Amino acid sequence: MDILYVPFGYVMKGCLWISQNRFWIAIIFFSLIMEAVLLPLSIKQQKASVKQQKLKPMEIAIRRKYKGQNDKVTQQKCNMEIQEMYQKNGYNAFAGCLPLLIQFPIIIALYAIVRNPMQYTLFMNDADIDVMYADSIVLCEQVKDGLEEDLAALVVTDGEPESETSSSGAAAYTDPELAETIESAINTFTGYQKNMCDRYIEKDGVYSFYIVTDGGCYVVTDGKYELSASDAIPSDAVKSVREEYIAVSLTKHFDRYVREALSEYGLCGSLLENSDEIILKNAFGYTASPVYYEAIKNLPDYEFLGMSLLDKPSFFSNISWLIVVPLLVFITSFGSMYVSRKLQPQNVDADGNPVKMPGGKFMEWGMPLMSLYFAANFQAAIGVYWVWRTLFSTGKQILLSKMYPLPVVTEEDIKEAQKQFKTSRKKKKIVIEVDEDDHSYDNIKVSEAESAAIDRTGRKIKMLGADDDDDPPAAVSEADAEGTDKEQKE
């Protein structure tokens, strides 16, 4: 999928450069650029709607022709005639679907860019990204070491009074509630490590995290990593999808994801007494190779009003102001659907009365609810893009409706269309060329006006000589020209 992701990654990188690396501003520019790219298609879609509305009287005229005939065959014939009319006038009913279909790859690409900023905004190579994963796992291990020290300090010794045991029942602690908080934090950081590796193995309470690369396999154990010998790599360690946004959260926003969370309980003091810069430089080997610490500084800043757009909004646990994002997605989606219905031509029956499209309620409520569901399960950055894109798209739709207004269909337009259909159904005029000695067509009934227009001699059939086709036909007798009434009827 890089053929899709990389171009959009460069667009996002340009937007981040304009916004001074602030992602929430870059999203606005990204949305504007995407709407600008789709503008020609949107104009084409609006023009198609105008054309459809101009053809609406002809459609209603066809429906009136078959009015009251509700059998399947007749209805199929009616629909085919309408489609032929549209095709004859150069209208494609599916032309408006293209802008909608193009939006899906954009959302998919943006989702990949948000989850993998090192790959699609910094354009780091795979080898460097693998090292960034390994160093991020080491960073988590250093935090866990500090938490283990705090937990050990709470263990009841022989000289202390008895106390309740921890939730795991492994030991007794002087402050069971704090001990449970520490254990939960340790499990959280272990979960981060598991999501940033390809394989993990626990043995005697010690985790080994494997990162499969093209040149071998890194193994991270006890806060250190090294390339593992080929015979030591587990057979089920294969390269998988790693959660890059977790590594970005821990490194770019260490203060928010680590310091604030642990300082609230006074935990991990031995580590957090140092500045974020010192902690990250130590974890990412700044002395030996400063490239990885420099990459952290160049990562997008996902902070917005004290919140991180890398977090997922939650309605049930750890509720924050981020729940506003999916709610805004729902409101803007519903509003966009409402505006779209008002601006688009309405389907009508043979009498010109509005016809409700099947699945109207689903489109009205189902689509916004689906948007709400997805926005609540993706990083908030995706939802923010969704809101801005919907706002810009709706504004563009209103502007185009002013530039290319839809014509109003009146009863006079429908009657005029019916008159045109009647005129177009006149009988065809046929000229038959026969040999001069062939009188088998002489008695075909032809009106006097038509006869005079075709042949001044009064003969109904234009005669062409065998050798002189350009010569005028010879005259015929009055009797032959008139014929009998019976013959005329035949």
Side-chain angles (χ1 to χ4, degrees):
M1 297 294 288
D2 280 355
I3 194 172
L4 174 66
Y5 299 157
V6 171
F8 285 108
Y10 277 107
V11 174
M12 179 59 75
K13 187 173 183 177
C15 294
L16 287 167
W17 179 78
I18 296 173
S19 64
Q20 297 297 304
N21 234 22
R22 286 172 289 184
F23 192 83
W24 70 273
I25 298 179
I27 280 288
I28 299 176
F29 288 113
F30 186 86
S31 304
L32 277 172
I33 292 173
M34 292 301 104
E35 287 303 321
V37 170
L38 295 175
L39 181 60
L41 292 176
S42 300
I43 293 175
K44 184 177 181 181
Q45 182 182 13
Q46 183 67 17
K47 288 182 176 180
S49 297
V50 172
K51 192 166 191 176
Q52 181 193 24
Q53 194 71 353
K54 288 181 178 179
L55 297 174
K56 185 63 69 174
M58 300 180 70
E59 177 187 338
I60 296 175
I62 294 173
R63 293 191 185 280
R64 285 186 179 181
K65 186 174 70 171
Y66 295 97
K67 185 178 178 181
Q69 304 178 51
N70 299 321
D71 59 284
K72 186 176 180 180
V73 175
T74 304
Q75 288 300 310
Q76 287 179 344
K77 184 178 179 181
C78 175
N79 292 332
M80 286 181 64
E81 192 168 335
I82 291 173
Q83 293 301 320
E84 289 175 359
M85 181 271 295
Y86 278 144
Q87 187 176 7
K88 182 180 178 180
N89 288 276
Y91 171 73
N92 183 5
F94 298 100
C97 299
L98 186 58
L100 182 63
L101 294 175
I102 291 179
Q103 292 174 20
F104 286 102
I106 295 176
I107 294 175
I108 293 172
L110 183 67
Y111 181 64
I113 293 169
V114 171
R115 293 177 63 90
N116 304 283
M118 289 189 291
Q119 185 173 357
Y120 296 115
T121 57
L122 297 186
F123 294 100
M124 298 176 64
N125 58 52
D126 291 342
D128 286 336
I129 293 177
D130 292 332
V131 174
M132 289 283 285
Y133 276 119
D135 285 336
S136 299
I137 292 174
V138 169
L139 176 63
C140 289
E141 197 66 28
Q142 291 176 357
V143 175
K144 286 167 60 178
D145 289 341
L147 291 171
E148 293 286 357
E149 291 177 7
D150 294 334
L151 189 63
L154 296 177
V155 175
V156 175
T157 60
D158 294 339
E160 294 177 338
E162 292 185 2
S163 178
E164 299 179 28
T165 60
S166 68
S167 59
S168 62
Y173 299 104
T174 56
D175 189 342
E177 187 174 343
L178 180 58
E180 187 173 352
T181 300
I182 295 173
E183 289 177 338
S184 176
I186 292 173
N187 291 333
T188 297
F189 282 94
T190 301
Y192 291 159
Q193 292 172 309
K194 291 178 179 179
N195 287 324
M196 290 187 291
C197 71
D198 297 309
R199 182 75 168 87
Y200 60 90
I201 297 176
E202 180 185 7
K203 185 177 181 181
D204 298 331
V206 177
Y207 280 97
S208 295
F209 303 96
Y210 294 88
I211 299 174
V212 180
T213 71
D214 295 334
C217 181
Y218 287 112
V219 57
V220 187
T221 306
D222 197 22
K224 299 178 181 179
Y225 72 88
E226 60 183 358
L227 276 173
S228 176
S230 58
D231 57 350
I233 301 174
S235 58
D236 53 355
V238 293
K239 198 164 189 175
S240 61
V241 178
R242 310 181 197 127
E243 300 290 357
E244 186 176 309
Y245 78 96
I246 292 179
V248 177
S249 303
L250 292 171
T251 55
K252 183 67 178 184
H253 302 298
F254 180 86
D255 183 72
R256 169 180 174 79
Y257 282 89
V258 181
R259 188 178 295 277
E260 289 183 9
L262 299 180
S263 296
E264 181 181 353
Y265 300 97
L267 300 174
C268 214
S270 58
L271 176 67
L272 299 182
E273 64 183 10
N274 300 309
S275 66
D276 292 357
E277 182 179 358
I278 293 175
I279 293 171
L280 292 173
K281 282 184 175 181
N282 289 336
F284 287 82
Y286 181 80
T287 303
S289 178
V291 62
Y292 303 111
Y293 177 74
E294 294 299 326
I296 294 171
K297 293 198 299 183
N298 292 325
L299 284 168
D301 184 357
Y302 294 93
E303 288 290 317
F304 176 67
L305 298 178
M307 300 174 292
S308 173
L309 298 181
L310 288 173
D311 288 337
K312 295 180 181 180
S314 175
F315 289 90
F316 306 105
S317 62
N318 299 323
I319 298 177
S320 69
W321 283 106
L322 285 180
I323 62 172
V324 173
V325 174
L327 292 177
L328 286 175
V329 169
F330 173 80
I331 293 172
T332 53
S333 297
F334 183 85
S336 177
M337 297 290 293
Y338 177 81
V339 172
S340 180
R341 287 197 306 274
K342 291 296 183 181
L343 296 179
Q344 291 300 314
Q346 195 171 32
N347 192 29
V348 293
D349 59 15
D351 296 322
N353 299 318
V355 177
K356 291 184 177 180
M357 295 297 291
K361 285 296 181 183
F362 172 77
M363 295 297 293
E364 183 179 358
W365 291 98
M367 295 300 290
L369 286 172
M370 286 179 62
S371 301
L372 171 68
Y373 172 79
F374 286 120
N377 286 275
F378 291 160
Q379 280 73 30
I382 304 295
V384 171
Y385 165 75
W386 219 320
V387 170
W388 283 113
R389 185 203 63 81
T390 304
L391 290 174
F392 289 139
S393 177
T394 305
K396 180 179 67 176
Q397 194 174 12
I398 295 173
L399 178 62
L400 290 177
S401 68
K402 301 296 184 182
M403 295 172 60
Y404 306 98
L406 298 177
V408 178
V409 178
T410 63
E411 184 64 27
E412 288 73 16
D413 296 330
I414 298 173
K415 290 180 179 179
E416 181 63 26
Q418 288 178 305
K419 189 184 298 184
Q420 290 179 7
F421 272 118
K422 289 179 181 179
T423 304
S424 64
R425 287 200 299 269
K426 286 183 177 180
K427 293 181 179 180
K428 296 180 180 179
K429 297 179 180 179
I430 302 175
V431 176
I432 303 175
E433 297 180 356
V434 297
D435 294 335
E436 58 183 358
D437 57 347
D438 184 358
H439 297 279
S440 59
Y441 294 93
D442 285 356
N443 294 327
I444 294 178
K445 184 177 180 180
V446 181
S447 67
E448 293 182 2
E450 290 172 331
S451 178
I454 296 173
D455 187 0
R456 293 181 182 178
T457 63
R459 185 174 172 81
K460 296 181 286 298
I461 304 299
K462 182 178 181 181
M463 290 294 186
L464 296 178
D467 297 323
D468 51 351
D469 292 345
D470 294 333
D471 293 336
V476 295
S477 66
E478 183 81 10
D480 290 337
E482 293 179 358
T484 62
D485 292 339
K486 182 178 179 180
E487 288 173 336
Q488 287 176 353
K489 291 179 182 179
E490 290 176 350

